[in-house]
Amino acid sequence: MILYHGSNVKINEINLSLCKPNKDFGKGFYLTSVRSQAEDMAVRRVRMLGTGEPQVTTFEFEEKWLNDDSLKVKIFPQVSVEWARFVLDNRDINRKGFSHQYDIVVGPVADDTVAFQLRRYLLGVISLEDLVKELTYKNINNQYYFGTELAITKLQYIDE
């Protein structure tokens, strides 16, 4: 399968220490199977950082690794209460270190209002079930999280 990463720079080598903490599935390298989603992310990164040019880096990943016993893999096939709790736990800025031990996590991308909706839930304005409903895309795209050096070795850079 082909996966894409959108950023303000071309990624020739993945360095997990440069990844930002408190993302949906934790600190790690994120990709998508939807090129346009990676292109949108690249534009957002340039806008957020005020530097660089939108860049999409392409990788090949063999799906067999998702079922290989040498990797710890978690797959969320759809938005669910379990997925929402997982995202909440990983986005907790008070947490030190990792909230899970997975090498790879695959699951839905929360929509752009995720931070707002998470705050509403944490303030008790909405229930967990309502949070799940609010975070569901009409057209759900998956994100692929690679959080360990072992997982990163399964990605093959494609020079375009």
Side-chain angles (χ1 to χ4, degrees):
M1 90 174 359
I2 301 297
L3 297 175
Y4 307 97
H5 177 82
S7 187
N8 65 322
V9 296
K10 196 72 158 173
I11 307 294
N12 295 318
E13 185 176 325
I14 301 167
N15 182 343
L16 289 174
S17 69
L18 299 176
C19 297
K20 304 287 184 233
N22 307 112
K23 299 296 181 187
D24 288 354
F25 300 152
K27 182 178 180 175
F29 190 69
Y30 285 79
L31 301 107
T32 177
S33 59
V34 181
R35 185 175 180 90
S36 62
Q37 184 179 323
E39 291 168 349
D40 291 345
M41 178 53 73
V43 170
R44 282 182 58 201
R45 292 294 296 165
V46 169
R47 254 191 256 135
M48 284 175 20
L49 299 174
T51 184
E53 295 291 326
Q55 300 285 330
V56 174
T57 308
T58 306
F59 296 87
E60 187 171 0
F61 174 70
E62 292 189 38
E63 287 184 76
K64 71 177 183 178
W65 294 115
L66 295 176
N67 299 310
D68 188 276
D69 290 340
S70 68
L71 292 167
K72 295 177 192 145
V73 177
K74 177 68 176 173
I75 298 175
F76 294 100
Q78 61 193 20
V79 172
S80 64
V81 170
E82 180 189 14
W83 168 85
R85 285 189 176 126
F86 194 82
V87 170
L88 281 166
D89 200 32
N90 285 295
R91 284 183 164 249
D92 182 353
I93 61 171
N94 297 314
R95 176 178 289 286
K96 302 286 188 232
F98 288 95
S99 66
H100 64 80
Q101 299 299 314
Y102 296 109
D103 298 297
I104 298 173
V105 180
V106 180
V109 175
D111 75 11
D112 291 339
T113 63
V114 67
F116 172 72
Q117 298 300 341
L118 291 174
R119 274 194 303 278
R120 289 180 68 211
Y121 169 74
L122 293 172
L123 291 171
V125 175
I126 60 174
S127 69
L128 187 59
E129 290 74 19
D130 288 336
L131 173 65
V132 170
K133 289 177 196 168
E134 293 292 333
L135 296 181
T136 302
Y137 258 160
K138 289 181 181 163
N139 295 316
I140 295 177
N141 294 323
N142 276 350
Q143 58 187 340
Y144 293 76
Y145 157 94
F146 290 74
T148 63
E149 294 297 333
L150 177 60
I152 295 301
T153 65
K154 307 308 179 193
L155 291 170
Q156 300 302 313
Y157 172 77
I158 297 175
D159 190 14
E160 295 188 279

